[in-house]
């Protein structure tokens, strides 16, 4: 009976050892001056750009005239794999070529194609004139 309990315990421990399924929380605090040439890609609604920050970069998406959304580029499926990040965007759909997951940027980063099941990590955005603040606190 003791052996059976030990075997079950070991199996539970092994099955819970999937550290690659969890994305690291990192401190994010960015301030973008939208008149800067580097952010020219955000002039039109529906456009997006990549910037440094977060785990593997940040996606800035212009949702409407006065609203922006920011997401971490880490794919939520095995996000600790080196290739697991958003590497292309077509309209409002962000793609991870590593695992073929897809996410809707206009729907809070919702996963629409697996194997990822969780939405992209979203950061808070605050627009004050031409200054966009992005953070996660």
């Amino acid at each position: 009976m003791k052996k059976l309990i030990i075997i079950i315990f070991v199996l539970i421990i092994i099955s819970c050892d999937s550290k690659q399924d969890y994305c690291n929380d990192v401190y994010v605090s960015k301030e973008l001056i939208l008149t800067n040439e580097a952010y020219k890609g955000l002039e039109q609604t529906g456009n997006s750009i990549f910037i440094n920050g977060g785990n593997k970069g940040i996606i800035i998406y212009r949702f409407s005239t006065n609203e922006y959304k920011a997401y971490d580029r880490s794919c939520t499926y095995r996000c600790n794999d080196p290739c697991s990040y958003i590497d292309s965007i077509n309209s409002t759909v962000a793609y991870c070529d590593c695992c073929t997951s897809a996410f809707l940027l206009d729907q809070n980063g919702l996963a629409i194609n697996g194997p990822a099941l969780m939405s992209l990590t979203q950061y808070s955005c605050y627009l004050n004139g031409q200054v966009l603040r992005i953070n996660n606190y």
Side-chain angles (χ1 to χ4, degrees), residues 96-107:
C96 173
D97 285 342
C98 184
C99 70
T100 69
S101 293
F103 305 87
L104 290 176
L105 298 180
D106 61 345
Q107 300 292 318

